[in-house]
Amino acid sequence: MSERIDGSPFCPCAPVEESMLGVDRRSFLVGAAALAMAACAGGDGSGTTAPDTVGNKPDTVGNKVDVAAHPTLADTNGVALVTLSGTPLAIVRTGAATFVALSLICPHQGATLNASSNGFTCPRHGARFSLTGSWAGGERTSSMRSYATQYDVATGKLSIG
Ligand code: FES
């Protein structure tokens, strides 16, 4: 048996009364709910989301990718992982002169997605996405963020943004 600060007896194994905590049950539940919502809304607290745009303006070099520099993009369904202006991206060749550019930031809570043999997977909660970024299973979330692409056949450069 111990004593409280006011000198009254206190047993550490006795149930704790709400008045002892200085917070009532309703306040505690509201606070816990707010913490849970903060953890779900906007992610894991990191605030990481896919940016609206990547790189600089489409006519600048900053967001152009030299397709020939990425041998994995030589064939349809080839994937190259690049970072443009700090944004991790997957570029997927979908045809002779067509590509998709996808943010590798998971739309659920901002983890960085991994490329797999047939798409992308999230290491944090298991969301799966197709090669073109559509949600395909696991943790329910939206599809991967995609960015406009424009391929210049003459120069072999892919503009993203
Ligand atoms: S962060 Fe939750 S599934 Fe990707």
Side-chain angles (χ1 to χ4, degrees), residues 106 108-111 113 122 124-127 139:
C106 182
H108 180 231
Q109 289 188 356
L113 301 174
C122 181
R124 188 171 298 168
H125 305 115
E139 179 73 33

Side-chain angles (χ1 to χ4, degrees), residues 82-99:
V82 301
T83 300
L84 289 181
S85 297
T87 302
L89 298 173
I91 298 170
V92 183
R93 187 165 203 149
T94 55
T98 55
F99 298 82

Side-chain angles (χ1 to χ4, degrees), residues 18 21-38:
E18 289 174 358
L21 298 175
V23 61
D24 62 51
R25 181 181 304 269
R26 184 173 185 284
S27 297
F28 174 79
L29 292 175
V30 168
L35 285 173
M37 289 175 70

